[in-house]
Amino acid sequence: MATATLSPVDTDKLSNLKSAVASLNQISENEKSGFINLVGRYLSGEAQHVEWSKIQTPTDEIVVPYDNLAPLSEDPAETKKLLDKLVVLKLNGGLGTTMGCTGPKSVIEVRNGLTFLDLIVKQIEALNAKYGCTVPLLLMNSFNTHDDTLKIVEKYANSNIEIHTFNQSQYPRLVTEDFSPLPCKGNSGKDGWYPPGHGDVFPALVNSGKLDALLAKGKEYVFVANSDNLGAIVDLKILNHLIQNKNEYCMEVTPKTLADVKGGTLISYQGKVQLLEIAQVPDEHVNEFKSIEKFKIFNTNNLWVNLNAIKRLVEADALKMEIIPNPKEVDGVKVLQLETAAGAAIKFFDRAIGVNVPRSRFLPVKATSDLLLVQSDLYTLTDEGYVIRNPARSNPSNPAIELGPEFKKVANFLGRFKSIPSIIELDSLKVTGDVWFGSGVTLKGKVTVAAKSGVKLEIPDGAVIANKDINGPEDI
């Protein structure tokens, strides 16, 4: 542990915290030691500052262009061999609260009445059926989503797919003022705790016993992705490349657009590939970091990791990812959450690489504006559960969509559209105020719809709006 560099004050803090945490019977010994370890590292101030002058742009050997990956064998038996080594893991700890939903975000309906989880299950079922393999699906839940997810996965009981769930760690929130665990202050409900970010996926896999069970079945690689990224589907070319080249870790990156300037990027640093996040960038270099010219790629959080390597590194306590301090307030009490991100682990794995993938592999749904895109005619849904972009759109990038607060919650968003407009030829849409869309509306070019305060503005059925600013019925 990192106590060697602690000041006497911090040593006392950690010692008191350790005693307090020992009395928390809601969490396991593994969780207690993991938490104390994280806090010890945080207090020792081991944050690694990147020396800007030592940053190098990764070569094509380190960040491999997708088109450079070897073609796959046409033999279905070879494909089955690849798939038999694979496990798919979706990060399922998030709640749909930002979109006004209760329960896991993965059960928001995306298209044709199907949820994120329905689509994921459909995709893996189709692979298992086509190649006669058994790719299992693992869902990493948090204590927030665990109970609901267990109920939800019951509906897949008769599917051609093994579904396993496990929980990521549960850590106590730290009271900033005196560095004590919030649950010791009488806040023993869910608000006293937090899940420590998706960097916890590696220890959680080991501690849950899932990793050993997978290794015993001959599994070698796990494909980890956010459950809300509709583009994160199994890609055999990537898996084949990793097996052939013995790469223990692969991060999918994709070219940055102006919408992604804050996303983490891959760099070569002191001979290793490393994730550089905006939080690590010295203030005077932030604009350079955001430039699309110098840092051309960003992390999609689609990760491929060797299971034996995870076991080796977790057991050696070697995965010391950068700590992300996340200050919050609970019932007026200032608290601190210490978190880590799975992408930051790249530098600890042998022969780690990035693959620069097409943008189609990054289709996250973070807000109702993203839901509008994937529910529109810009995308179609295949029988196997894949969301495919409509080739009728010639512009490679998606329209920029901004919806006002009236559309923030899914229920309100759905209520305000009789049907989702046609947006194949749309460049941008900005909607503010009390706006309602009829059915069969078509939007093209740059469209702004701004209802005046206190006025309900209805876009009539079948309206075609191209390159217009609409402030009232007279503008339609």
Side-chain angles (χ1 to χ4, degrees):
M1 225 176 65
T3 39
T5 49
L6 291 186
S7 69
V9 175
D10 285 341
T11 306
D12 280 354
K13 261 188 193 173
L14 196 62
S15 166
N16 294 338
L17 182 64
K18 205 170 177 178
S19 315
V21 168
S23 67
L24 295 172
N25 56 9
Q26 299 96 319
I27 56 175
S28 69
E29 291 306 314
N30 275 335
E31 287 169 310
K32 290 176 187 177
S33 64
F35 175 67
I36 293 297
N37 199 339
L38 193 62
V39 177
R41 285 178 52 214
Y42 173 72
L43 287 174
S44 73
E46 65 159 58
Q48 288 171 313
H49 295 291
V50 177
E51 281 190 57
W52 201 252
S53 59
K54 291 186 179 171
I55 289 176
Q56 292 180 309
T57 304
T59 62
D60 282 1
E61 278 70 52
I62 293 176
V63 175
V64 183
Y66 185 80
D67 291 342
N68 290 12
L69 299 177
L72 288 169
S73 158
E74 298 286 314
D75 182 356
E78 289 299 312
T79 303
K80 180 185 185 307
K81 263 190 214 166
L82 281 178
L83 285 167
D84 281 339
K85 296 178 178 180
L86 183 67
V87 182
V88 175
L89 190 160
K90 297 288 179 171
L91 302 169
N92 192 53
L95 292 166
T97 40
T98 44
M99 293 167 77
C101 298
T102 54
K105 187 175 177 189
S106 58
V107 298
I108 292 175
E109 285 186 8
V110 183
R111 219 180 147 112
N112 303 16
L114 298 171
T115 65
F116 288 106
L117 209 48
D118 292 337
L119 296 177
I120 291 163
V121 169
K122 254 173 135 35
Q123 291 162 12
I124 299 175
E125 266 197 305
L127 278 178
N128 287 342
K130 185 172 177 182
Y131 295 104
C133 52
T134 51
V135 176
L137 171 63
L138 270 72
L139 299 172
M140 183 169 85
N141 299 317
S142 63
F143 59 87
N144 289 316
T145 59
H146 173 73
D147 294 344
D148 285 340
T149 303
L150 284 187
K151 291 192 197 95
I152 291 155
V153 296
E154 284 174 11
K155 74 173 183 177
Y156 308 119
N158 300 322
S159 305
N160 173 26
I161 181 174
E162 267 183 49
I163 300 179
H164 303 266
T165 62
F166 68 103
N167 272 18
Q168 71 177 113
S169 307
Q170 174 174 334
Y171 286 174
R173 284 175 159 156
L174 273 174
V175 178
T176 314
E177 189 187 15
D178 62 358
F179 237 65
S180 61
L182 189 57
C184 295
K185 298 271 179 154
N187 194 329
S188 55
K190 277 192 173 176
D191 281 351
W193 307 89
Y194 75 98
H198 48 60
D200 187 52
V201 64
F202 305 118
L205 259 177
V206 175
N207 295 339
S208 64
K210 295 292 178 197
L211 190 94
D212 283 337
L214 293 166
L215 287 171
K217 287 186 171 173
K219 301 298 179 190
E220 291 180 25
Y221 276 87
V222 59
F223 173 43
V224 181
N226 296 352
S227 60
D228 65 6
N229 179 4
L230 295 169
I233 60 178
V234 170
D235 187 295
L236 291 165
K237 279 175 77 167
I238 295 176
L239 178 61
N240 183 50
H241 183 90
L242 303 182
I243 291 170
Q244 298 304 322
N245 295 279
K246 299 187 168 53
N247 304 110
E248 290 187 344
Y249 187 111
C250 168
M251 174 187 289
E252 292 185 36
V253 292
T254 198
K256 260 189 196 183
T257 67
L258 290 172
D260 320 300
V261 291
K262 291 183 177 173
T265 193
L266 283 184
I267 56 170
S268 286
Y269 190 73
Q270 298 178 327
K272 297 205 87 161
V273 61
Q274 189 166 320
L275 180 67
L276 178 66
E277 298 274 16
I278 194 163
Q280 298 163 275
V281 176
D283 290 347
E284 65 271 24
H285 294 292
V286 166
N287 284 341
E288 199 180 334
F289 175 82
K290 288 181 176 177
S291 123
I292 302 181
E293 279 70 47
K294 176 157 183 178
F295 297 102
K296 296 184 169 70
I297 51 173
F298 75 98
N299 170 22
T300 63
N301 218 38
N302 298 347
L303 310 170
W304 301 76
V305 195
N306 180 285
L307 293 169
N308 276 303
I310 294 174
K311 184 177 167 74
R312 180 186 82 233
L313 291 166
V314 169
E315 288 178 351
D317 191 25
L319 292 176
K320 299 190 186 301
M321 283 93 89
E322 286 79 9
I323 295 170
I324 305 159
N326 188 357
K328 300 251 176 184
E329 204 166 288
V330 179
D331 300 332
V333 179
K334 286 189 166 52
V335 296
L336 185 61
Q337 299 180 180
L338 301 179
E339 302 171 11
T340 61
I346 190 167
K347 62 182 176 191
F348 300 108
F349 288 83
D350 293 340
R351 304 174 75 92
I353 58 167
V355 171
N356 193 349
V357 298
R359 182 77 187 198
S360 57
R361 294 189 57 75
F362 184 65
L363 186 59
V365 178
K366 301 290 181 198
T368 49
S369 52
D370 301 321
L371 210 49
L372 174 61
L373 288 173
V374 298
Q375 291 188 346
S376 75
D377 55 355
L378 202 53
Y379 288 91
T380 49
L381 183 64
T382 69
D383 293 344
E384 289 89 37
Y386 298 116
V387 177
I388 306 286
R389 203 160 183 272
N390 188 338
R393 180 172 173 88
S394 50
N395 184 340
S397 55
N398 280 344
I401 294 180
E402 275 183 67
L403 301 176
E406 297 80 2
F407 291 82
K408 188 178 178 185
K409 295 186 172 175
V410 174
N412 297 348
F413 163 83
L414 293 172
R416 287 175 177 273
F417 288 100
K418 263 202 218 167
S419 72
I420 300 293
S422 166
I423 59 171
I424 285 186
E425 295 176 53
L426 180 69
D427 294 323
S428 65
L429 171 67
K430 187 171 185 179
V431 183
T432 49
D434 186 13
V435 178
W436 300 75
F437 288 81
S439 61
V441 172
T442 302
L443 305 174
K444 299 178 179 188
K446 293 185 174 175
V447 177
T448 306
V449 186
K452 297 184 184 79
S453 179
V455 176
K456 179 179 181 180
L457 178 54
E458 297 189 44
I459 307 293
D461 295 354
V464 177
I465 300 168
N467 293 310
K468 266 191 174 174
D469 289 354
I470 292 172
N471 300 107
E474 66 284 356
D475 298 326
I476 298 169

